[in-house]
Amino acid sequence: RLAYALCRPPGHHAASDLAAGFCFFNNSAIAAELMTRAGKRVAILDIDVHHGNGTEAIFYDRADVLTVSIHVNPKRFYPFFWGYENETGRGEGEGFNLNLPRERGLDLDGYLAALEIALQRITNFGADHLVIAAGLDISIDDPFKGFAITTEDFRAIGNRIAEMKLPMVIIEEGGYPSDSLGRNSASLLTGLGR
């Protein structure tokens, strides 16, 4: 029901033809591709503070994988040129990419509101498996200060995702050094594993 991949380096900025943001192999995209080839209907939910531009690029022209990203508005935040709401897919992929950019300092209430939109889209897509690009850099203690998610908030986010009752693989993405990094990871996994 649940698998966790502690991957380093992270991967969601890597496209099929581009390495960026310390990412060389897009682990979330690889997992989604393998599951899709096995006949699963897969959605990728990227909860990293940065937009998963590589993941978006890989699936942008496809309708068989839904990509959803909740991240800081890229207007003044990496990756700057991708992650806007009007990026919804192209050709066969039109409507199968959802970006939910939010302003810096977002707390749990705001995050859960965005998450509800994301989970509704995943439900509408009919996903039977979920890949979570698990960025721990949404933490209030993260050096980039993008969002303001506390250690307990990670559990609440995990609990809400777990309510979908989908088999999932959690792929470790961002998470810069802070004293709460390990606790945040444990809190998210506890919530997801409930």
Side-chain angles (χ1 to χ4, degrees):
R1 188 182 77 77
L2 186 147
Y4 172 58
L6 178 55
C7 300
R8 281 292 173 259
H12 73 153
H13 296 305
S16 58
D17 60 349
L18 174 73
F22 311 113
C23 302
F24 299 96
F25 298 101
N26 193 315
N27 307 303
S28 296
I30 293 167
E33 180 66 22
L34 290 171
M35 287 192 284
T36 300
R37 290 182 185 187
K40 310 301 181 191
R41 189 155 175 84
V42 181
I44 300 173
L45 173 61
D46 192 324
I47 63 171
D48 192 279
V49 77
H50 302 97
H51 174 248
N53 57 300
T55 307
E56 176 179 288
I58 288 168
F59 295 107
Y60 205 64
D61 298 292
R62 293 172 52 173
D64 57 341
V65 174
L66 174 69
T67 53
V68 180
S69 180
I70 303 170
H71 52 271
V72 171
N73 187 330
K75 186 173 182 180
R76 290 188 176 87
F77 205 78
Y78 188 85
F80 305 111
F81 304 106
W82 301 276
Y84 295 92
E85 290 174 327
N86 65 343
E87 297 162 24
T88 58
R90 180 177 50 225
E92 289 182 15
E94 178 63 44
F96 294 93
N97 186 76
L98 174 64
N99 288 323
L100 297 166
R102 296 296 184 260
E103 294 308 312
R104 292 180 86 142
L106 188 75
D107 64 7
L108 180 64
D109 288 341
Y111 197 93
L112 289 176
L115 185 60
E116 286 305 315
I117 297 167
L119 298 182
Q120 187 59 58
R121 178 65 71 88
I122 290 166
T123 298
N124 294 346
F125 175 71
D128 56 26
H129 282 70
L130 185 60
V131 173
I132 300 173
L136 299 172
D137 48 8
I138 60 176
S139 168
I140 194 168
D141 299 323
D142 189 81
F144 283 102
K145 302 291 185 197
F147 289 157
I149 302 303
T150 69
T151 298
E152 274 306 306
D153 295 345
F154 276 96
R155 183 183 307 228
I157 292 166
N159 281 339
R160 181 59 192 97
I161 296 169
E163 288 175 6
M164 297 191 74
K165 300 196 181 310
L166 291 176
M168 66 183 87
V169 58
I170 298 103
I171 309 286
E172 189 74 30
E173 290 289 353
Y176 299 91
S178 74
D179 291 341
S180 65
L181 187 59
R183 292 190 303 274
N184 294 342
S185 179
S187 184
L188 178 65
L189 292 172
T190 299
L192 289 168
R194 60 172 239 165

